[in-house]
Amino acid sequence: MEQTLVILKPGTVQRGLMGEIISRFEKKGLLIKGMKMMQLTDELLNEHYSHLKERSFFKDLKNSMMSCPVVVMCLEGVDVVNVVRNIVGATNGRAAQPGTIRGDYSVSAMENLVHASDSPETAEIELTRFFKKEEILECNHKLLLNIYAAYEMVV
Ligand code: UDP
Ligand code: MG
C-alpha cells in the first residue's frame, strides 16, 4: 500500500498540537508505520527544500524548521499521498479551507504546522531521507477490513 511522509513542524510541537494532528490522521483510518522525534539540520533541509532554494524566504524557512525538534511520520493507506494532502490543506493557512489542518490552525504561509509529500515519487524519496529502513515497522492491522473494502486494498 502507498506510504507518505508527514512532518509535524516546530510550530505544532511548540503549540501543543501534536496529539490533535496525529489524532486526525488516526481517525481518518490511516496507518502509522513509523514515527519519531528528530532535530532537523541545515544540510537535511537544503536537500528537503531544494525546490525553494532561490526563494527569498528560504533561510527563514530553514531557521523555523530547525527552531525545535519535529515529529516525522510514515503514514500508509490507499492513495495516501492525496488523502493526506487533502487533510493538510493549502500551503497558506489563510487560504486553506476550514476543516483542513492548516485551515483550522494556521494563519501563515510559512508557519503552517505540517509537511506532507506531494506525490508518490516524492514520498518514496522523502521517506528514505528521514527514516532508516528498519524504522518503518510492520504491523498486522486487524481493523483494515473495517477501514477499506477488500477490493480497494492492493497490498
Ligand atoms: N513556504 C513559505 N512561503 C511560500 C511558500 C512556501 O513560507 O510562499 C513554506 C511553507 O512552510 C511551506 C514550505 O515552504 O510548507 C514548502 O513549500 P511548498 O511549496 O512545498 O508547500 P507545501 O508542499 O508544504 O504545501
Ligand atoms: Mg511541498
Side-chain angles (χ1 to χ4, degrees), residues 2-150:
E2 194 171 278
Q3 296 183 333
T4 193
L5 175 80
V6 165
I7 304 176
L8 307 184
K9 296 183 178 186
T12 296
V13 177
Q14 294 283 352
R15 290 173 57 192
L17 290 171
M18 287 187 286
E20 166 63 28
I21 291 175
I22 291 167
S23 170
R24 287 188 177 212
F25 296 125
E26 280 189 301
K27 286 186 222 167
K28 179 68 174 169
L30 304 179
L31 308 180
I32 300 173
K33 302 303 285 277
M35 182 159 72
K36 63 179 178 179
M37 290 192 83
M38 66 186 287
Q39 174 63 48
L40 300 182
T41 61
D42 196 58
E43 195 185 359
L44 199 55
L45 288 164
N46 281 337
E47 211 182 286
H48 181 63
Y49 282 139
S50 61
H51 60 296
L52 298 170
K53 64 176 187 296
E54 306 301 338
R55 303 294 295 271
S56 56
F57 57 80
F58 186 55
K59 190 132 204 324
D60 287 345
L61 175 62
K62 288 194 295 176
N63 284 336
S64 168
M65 292 295 287
M66 291 188 289
S67 63
C68 92
V70 299
V71 177
V72 291
M73 303 174 70
C74 169
L75 296 180
E76 187 176 277
V78 175
D79 197 19
V80 72
V81 170
N82 278 324
V83 169
V84 167
R85 290 285 290 193
N86 286 334
I87 294 171
V88 167
T91 304
N92 186 332
R94 294 191 293 280
Q97 290 294 311
T100 63
I101 291 168
R102 288 166 171 172
D104 286 350
Y105 299 118
S106 160
V107 285
S108 168
M110 180 174 292
E111 295 300 326
N112 57 6
L113 299 172
V114 181
H115 165 82
S117 307
D118 62 10
S119 71
E121 297 71 33
T122 315
E124 272 194 50
I125 295 167
E126 291 185 345
L127 284 167
T128 309
R129 181 175 298 142
F130 289 95
F131 283 98
K132 298 190 187 103
K133 203 164 178 284
E134 63 269 23
E135 290 173 330
I136 310 282
L137 303 169
E138 273 316 312
C139 171
N140 177 16
H141 283 279
K142 298 186 170 42
L143 280 175
L144 269 182
L145 280 171
N146 299 102
I147 290 174
Y148 296 107

